Structures are given as structure tokens and as C-alpha cells.
Amino acid sequence: MMRMLRAGLVLAMIATPALAKEAVISSKPIVIAHRGASGERPEHTLAAYSLAIEQGADFIEPDLVMTKDGQLVARHENDITGTTDVVSRKEFADRKRTKTIDGISHTGWFTEDFTLAELKTLRAKERLPLLRRGNAKFDGQFEVPTLREIIALAKAATANTGRTIGIYPETKHPSYFASIGLPMEALLVAELKAAGWDRADAPVFIQSFEVNSLKALKQLTQVPLIQLMAADGGPADRAQPSYKAMATPEGLKAIATYASGVGPQKDMVVAGDGTVLPLVTDAHAAGLKVHPWTFRAENYFLPSGLRKGINPAGHGDMAAEIARFLAAGVDGLFTDYPYLGVQARDRHSR
């Protein structure tokens, strides 16, 4: 499977001029494939990103972490205990560590203790096997992809489909990585520059939960930046006291000095009962786009009124949930099921 993906990618890049002009992204709300089509393939794999593109996603989203030798790779966390087969790999048994990351203790295996070559010997696993048994059937088939491979995939797909396929990378735990001598921002910008993506209209958004990472990026690139926000807690770099304070009209105005938009947890935009909260209106007043996260089809993740049946892994009415947010005026959305997001978006646009 991996050989087929690589072969297709290489052929696509050879068949199309390297400097082919990218198409213009639609003015409709964008659909961001959250870690790829992660509802149907193990997240952060080329297979998940490729399927997301086939399903019509406008952007594919890699969470970025660092390797020991300073390479950017896509994993949900730098702790790869539950997303790769590292636990079963006896040659890496001595790499198990206990670390404090963003104030929380973790025991497992971490990307920063592996070179890229070593990581490439591992294979991806489904992170939520109890909810996504179909995904678990693909365990052991796919590598951990690099940012460079993901960019190449997006560019090849853009050339082949005539649609612009953008990337939406997140700097994951950037202050932690900086503290161990692996700063992320300059490397990320260098990779984007090498791809020709260092302009305000590039098909890229860079996101982070941390404020200072985005402020550093603001000094390095013209690419649009997105401040992520959760319903609880605050940035790990302690640049602001809480996300709730950042979501006020005053907080949003401050964000607008360094970012182009916000990526709020969806409950900050529309409550589970369908009540529209003021965040979209306030963010738009500050000149910010709003891209909430994350829309998932499983009952486990849906508001009670949109679930179907009692099986947590069963699928409810995610389309109805997305419709609430589109009606509230969001500018895009993160989803594990891009085809459902595209269908809901297009119905709303019509």
C-alpha cells in the first residue's frame, strides 16, 4: 500500500510542471480534513490524507512534532505509544520514558527520542480502535509521514485535480520542543518557503494553541496564522491566563494583532442544545476567521439530540450539527469525515 502511494505521488509530480499555478480556493466555508480522513483511515498517514483529498477536502491537517535529528513529522502527539507499533518493537524497549510536557506527566515513547530513519521503521495504528474498528484493520500498513511528504502530496493532488489542496499544520507543544533544543518555527517556515508557500494567499494556515509560537511565526512568514482555543484551560506557554479570556471581544482584538483567525473548540461557538454563542460575531468584528473543531460522526462525540441509537461507535446526524455552525456563520470547519463535511457545506451554500 505504501509503495503504491509513493509511486502514485512520484508519477503525479513528474506528469505535471513543478511550477503549475495553483487554483484559487473557493470562497465557501473551507472543509479541513482533521488529521486526514481520520474517521476511515488511521490518522496522520498518507492514506488518510489521500482519502481526504478524494473526498473533497480543501485542506489536510498535519499535527507537527519533532524528531531527535530535527525533522518535522505528523503525529497527534510526540507520545507515539498509542499511534504506532512502537510498544511491540523490542529494539526500542529501552526508549520508554516518563516526561512532563505542558505540565502533565506522560510515560511512553516520544518522537524526540527517535531519528527520522528510526521512526520510518515504525507503522501507524488506529488511535481510537474501540470507536473505529474499521480503521484498526489498517494497523501496521502505513509509515509516519514527514511534513515534506505531505506538502508533496498536496501539490501533486492540486495539479491532478485542478482544485487547490492546502495544508493546515499545527505546531504541537512548541515551547516544550524549544526547551529541549528543537525549536519548530524556523524549520516549518523553511519547509513552506521551499514549497513556494511564503505569501499571504498561499494555500496554508498555521495553527497553534500557544500564543508565542504564533507571534514568532508572525515575524517569519506572511502565511495566515490561526489561534487555537479550547473551552477550558489556557495556553501552555502561559502567554494568556485562559482561553475564555482570549475569546472575549477584547481578547479577540488582541489575537487579531498577530493572527488571521481562531480555531475554537466547537462548544465555544454553538452549544450542544443548538444555542448560538457570540464568538463568531465577536471574531468577525475583530476581523478574524472562525474555524471550529472537531466534527465527528460517532454518537460518542455528538450532542445528545443528534445521536442515533445507543452505540457510542454508531453514527448520528453530524450533518445536522455542521448545519448549525454554518448557519452561525463559521468560515470553515475541522472534520474527521471530509465527505460529510463537503456535502453539508454544499447543501448550505445552495
Side-chain angles (χ1 to χ4, degrees):
M1 178 70 75
M2 182 55 63
R3 289 178 179 175
M4 293 174 63
L5 281 168
R6 283 177 167 171
L9 178 58
V10 170
L11 287 172
M13 294 178 74
I14 292 174
T16 306
L19 298 179
K21 183 173 177 60
E22 290 155 350
V24 176
I25 293 176
S26 170
S27 59
K28 300 176 183 178
I30 61 172
V31 174
I32 307 145
H34 184 243
R35 310 173 194 168
S38 53
E40 297 176 289
R41 296 292 185 275
E43 65 188 32
H44 292 313
T45 60
L46 292 182
Y49 296 129
S50 296
L51 181 58
I53 292 166
E54 291 176 20
Q55 293 182 350
D58 300 301
F59 287 81
I60 52 178
E61 185 225 17
D63 293 335
L64 298 179
V65 294
M66 297 288 290
T67 67
K68 182 178 182 179
D69 50 347
Q71 300 296 312
L72 288 165
V73 296
R75 288 290 87 191
H76 172 51
E77 295 287 348
N78 55 326
D79 182 347
I80 54 173
T81 308
T83 61
T84 71
D85 61 357
V86 69
V87 175
S88 66
R89 302 293 290 273
K90 294 180 180 179
E91 67 270 33
F92 298 128
D94 63 347
R95 305 287 178 93
K96 190 175 184 180
R97 303 281 189 274
T98 296
K99 304 187 180 191
T100 299
I101 300 167
D102 297 347
I104 300 174
S105 179
H106 298 262
T107 298
W109 286 259
F110 300 85
T111 58
E112 64 268 25
D113 297 323
F114 291 78
T115 65
L116 178 59
E118 289 171 332
L119 275 179
K120 282 293 189 180
T121 70
L122 302 178
R123 291 298 178 265
K125 286 176 53 181
E126 170 54 37
R127 189 174 62 88
L128 302 171
L130 296 180
L131 291 176
R132 294 173 174 170
R133 296 183 186 277
N135 282 11
K137 296 177 182 178
F138 295 96
D139 285 358
Q141 295 188 29
F142 308 120
E143 294 181 357
V144 174
T146 64
L147 173 60
R148 193 168 301 174
E149 289 171 330
I150 295 164
I151 290 172
L153 176 66
K155 281 186 165 286
T158 294
N160 285 346
T161 65
R163 297 189 297 115
T164 295
I165 310 301
I167 69 167
Y168 206 124
E170 177 185 347
T171 59
K172 205 82 175 184
H173 309 299
S175 59
Y176 165 76
F177 278 112
S179 75
I180 60 171
L182 292 169
M184 311 178 75
E185 292 81 9
L187 180 59
L188 171 55
V189 171
E191 293 274 13
L192 294 175
K193 283 184 177 179
W197 288 344
D198 187 36
R199 59 184 195 275
D201 63 344
V204 180
F205 290 95
I206 303 175
Q207 57 179 331
S208 184
F209 280 101
E210 296 190 21
V211 174
N212 290 330
S213 180
L214 293 173
K215 288 185 175 180
L217 286 161
K218 178 71 171 177
Q219 304 303 313
L220 299 173
T221 183
Q222 299 180 61
V223 167
L225 308 175
I226 301 292
Q227 176 67 64
L228 295 173
M229 300 189 296
D232 298 307
D237 59 7
R238 303 182 184 275
Q240 292 291 333
S242 71
Y243 291 121
K244 287 182 179 178
M246 295 172 72
T248 64
E250 296 75 18
L252 293 166
K253 289 176 184 176
I255 290 172
T257 63
Y258 63 87
S260 299
V262 293
Q265 190 170 349
K266 63 184 182 180
D267 292 348
M268 301 174 75
V269 176
V270 178
D273 63 2
T275 301
V276 177
L277 304 174
L279 182 58
V280 171
T281 299
D282 292 342
H284 285 171
L288 296 168
K289 297 181 181 298
V290 182
H291 299 158
W293 53 272
T294 301
F295 294 88
R296 297 173 165 122
E298 291 85 1
N299 285 326
Y300 181 84
F301 299 109
L302 286 166
S304 58
L306 298 179
R307 296 171 187 164
K308 295 181 179 179
I310 60 173
N311 181 2
H315 286 200
D317 196 350
M318 188 185 87
E321 183 184 33
I322 290 176
R324 293 176 177 177
F325 285 75
L326 294 170
V330 300
D331 304 288
L333 55 96
F334 289 84
T335 179
D336 291 4
Y337 292 89
Y339 75 96
L340 293 175
V342 170
Q343 289 174 3
R345 187 266 312 275
D346 290 350
R347 278 195 299 270
H348 178 79
S349 296
R350 287 194 296 269

